[in-house]
Amino acid sequence: MTGPGNGTATAPRVTLAQGVRQSLTLAWRTLVQVRHNPFELTDFSIQPIMFVLLFTYVFGGAVAGSTDAYLKFMLPGLIVMNMLFVTLYVGQGLNTDVTKGVFDRLRSLPIARWAPLAGRIAADQVKQAWSIVLVLAVGLILGFRLGSPGVPGVIGAAVLLLAFALAFSWVAVLVGLLAKDAERVQIFGFTSLFPLTFVSNVFVPVDSMPGWLQGFVNINPVSKLADACRGLMLGGEVAEPVIASLAWALGIAAVFAPLSVRVFKRKI
Amino acid sequence: MRKGARLMGDAILTEGLSKRFGDTTALAGVDLRVPAGTVFALLGPNGAGKTTVVRVLATLLCPDAGRAEVGGHDVLREAHRVRQLIGLTGQYASVDTRLTGMENLQLIGRLLGMPRREARHRARELLDQFGLADAGGNAVGTFSGGMRRRLDLAASLVGRPPVLFLDEPTTGLDPRARSELWDLIRRLVSTGATALLTTQYLDEADALADEVVVIDHGEVVATGTSEELKSRVGARTLAVRPADPARVQDARAAVADLTGAAPDVKDDLITAPVGDAALLPAVVRRLDDEGVLVAELTLRGSSLAEVFFTLTGRPAEDGAGGGQAGAA
């Protein structure tokens, strides 16, 4: 006869509390990886700093007449751009886990099916928060000053960015699951995120672009987010761009979350 | 918390397990019964379906047809219960190369619900047991192949699971690392756990398993204890090459007579499966009596190819054709 023997009592399912704890454990694991791979820290720390410096001092004078004026115009948008690139870590990490077999080990454990994904995304939020603080700090050192909304405005901008990152992570999850290897996730990032962020109002004013491009720039979620961050950090219009950004976030999540979950389940 | 528990009855049971990947049939109706507390080997070449069986049993893959139970629980309907009973080590279940050995084991302990201190304690215990205590603080990326495998094995044991799946645990290891791993596996199963081992090596199945199932093209082609299989297929292969090609037929007749098998002759080399090593002196005496000068005389472990040839009458295909099916 088949049957479990003595001492092998098993639980029928994972509880929600267990799932949350497992997700946090897996988030911990993702962050510990950074400790052993200083290159990754360099990646998401040096690159944003370099961008701030390059754009401010190379383009600032030409685009805005002075580096100070340009820093004020560009920094909120640069934070947005940086946020999009940081979401790629979710995709790369997931891809590495799947291709290297770590995922199979995790899935053979009695843990919540969603914990590996949730853990990745939770860890990504920590990286996001870190890089927002970093870019802002470099900006402040170079002379960026907050406007009338002050600190509550910055906190609002950070919350909005994290919320958008959460939604956009699903795009990264999908790419991570479909890509053959982690390098391809990176390639996707460069070939899609660079145009997306440059064809926006992050680096230059919209009215300097040809009319056919302006149409896209004006609906580009990156423009909306950049406007929202400008409003929240410097003062100015807030409601419209914030609502538009949140609408984009919801739209992206509504399309990519179910798609990713489907691929996730099929893959596995 | 899982203790070093034992199961009763059948630890693993499959009936008519089938799985296709596109046009490739990975499993064509596999029936297995593994009594609790035994070591069971699935022996077969690349692409035979071994890994697919393990993946189904480890709840990583849904079969197209048939059913599978581990510890009396259906792998599909009660997957979560099954996962509480199993440990998986294999080509495709890996540790995280970007963490240290210690962190990898702690991670699993924490995921299994151990408090922090207990997870740390268990990790240290396993590192000691697997000879990794000194390297435990280094990133796994710096480990040698043998160390990696030992850590893989340790990772599957954190929760002291009563059922272990070892998917080609020694493939790609040098002989020394291989025999070290064998010793570890022997020690493990002596504690009463049930182990299902897949391997491409007859000697590995022979060294570790109580019962061996030979599979090929997703079908079971032979079942028995390692002794039974050996007596059927000959655990070793005798090879004789007469110095004078004209004497090949005489030598062949002598070998046929002594081994009771039909020897294979290719390029003047006569090969035949032998069950008993003691046959070698008899062969030497006989050839000497008949005045056949011998250029080459060897007795070696049968290769998997020879086992397959004996069992199925057709040569085992090499991994090359197996492709994805091999990986699956």
Side-chain angles (χ1 to χ4, degrees), chain A residues 4-10, chain B residues 1-7 85 160 162:
Chain A
N6 43 330
T8 55
T10 52
Chain B
M1 189 66 356
R2 302 188 288 181
K3 300 277 182 317
R6 294 172 187 219
L7 296 172
L85 300 174
R160 298 183 177 86

Side-chain angles (χ1 to χ4, degrees), chain A residues 31 33-49 89 127 130-131 134, chain B residues 98:
Chain A
L31 295 173
Q33 283 183 340
V34 179
R35 205 176 67 203
H36 300 299
N37 300 273
F39 280 121
E40 194 182 315
L41 190 66
T42 318
D43 248 19
F44 66 79
S45 300
I46 303 283
Q47 185 182 308
I49 294 174
Y89 289 108
K127 291 181 188 175
W130 162 256
S131 72
L134 189 74
Chain B
R98 311 214 297 173

Side-chain angles (χ1 to χ4, degrees), chain A residues 105-145:
Chain A
R105 152 101 358 102
L106 293 179
R107 289 194 317 119
S108 73
L109 295 173
I111 61 173
R113 300 295 90 189
W114 46 269
L117 214 52
R120 279 262 161 228
I121 292 176
D124 185 61
Q125 292 278 303
V126 175
K127 291 181 188 175
Q128 290 287 2
W130 162 256
S131 72
I132 291 171
V133 168
L134 189 74
V135 176
L136 202 59
V138 175
L140 288 171
I141 293 168
L142 296 184
F144 180 81
R145 291 297 170 258

Side-chain angles (χ1 to χ4, degrees), chain B residues 169-182:
Chain B
T170 65
T171 299
L173 290 186
D174 60 58
R176 203 191 115 117
R178 202 158 160 243
S179 78
E180 279 174 5
L181 210 67
W182 281 8

Side-chain angles (χ1 to χ4, degrees), chain B residues 246-293:
Chain B
R247 302 297 305 271
V248 167
Q249 284 314 314
D250 295 335
R252 184 187 175 279
V255 171
D257 189 29
L258 288 168
T259 62
D264 190 35
V265 183
K266 200 196 271 173
D267 302 333
D268 299 337
L269 185 72
I270 302 149
T271 53
V274 256
D276 185 1
L279 210 61
L280 192 59
V283 172
V284 174
R285 268 197 304 276
R286 177 72 169 269
L287 291 172
D288 190 42
D289 287 350
E290 299 198 3
V292 177
L293 275 178

Side-chain angles (χ1 to χ4, degrees), chain A residues 43-117:
Chain A
D43 248 19
F44 66 79
S45 300
I46 303 283
Q47 185 182 308
I49 294 174
M50 205 175 65
F51 275 179
V52 178
L53 293 173
L54 279 178
F55 280 106
T56 306
Y57 292 111
V58 176
F59 296 119
V63 178
S66 78
T67 51
D68 276 356
Y70 189 59
L71 186 63
K72 193 171 164 182
F73 171 76
M74 175 269 308
L75 193 83
L78 194 70
I79 295 178
V80 174
M81 174 179 176
N82 205 38
M83 175 271 291
L84 291 175
F85 277 94
V86 172
T87 57
L88 286 182
Y89 289 108
V90 175
Q92 278 181 305
L94 208 56
N95 184 279
T96 307
D97 279 357
V98 171
T99 52
K100 301 277 187 240
V102 176
F103 224 65
D104 274 353
R105 152 101 358 102
L106 293 179
R107 289 194 317 119
S108 73
L109 295 173
I111 61 173
R113 300 295 90 189
W114 46 269
L117 214 52

Side-chain angles (χ1 to χ4, degrees), chain A residues 10-11 29 33 36 104-105, chain B residues 55 81 84 88 96 103:
Chain A
T10 52
R29 166 225 170 196
Q33 283 183 340
H36 300 299
D104 274 353
R105 152 101 358 102
Chain B
R55 290 179 62 89
R81 287 192 196 273
Q84 292 165 72
L88 174 64
D96 186 341
E103 284 162 352

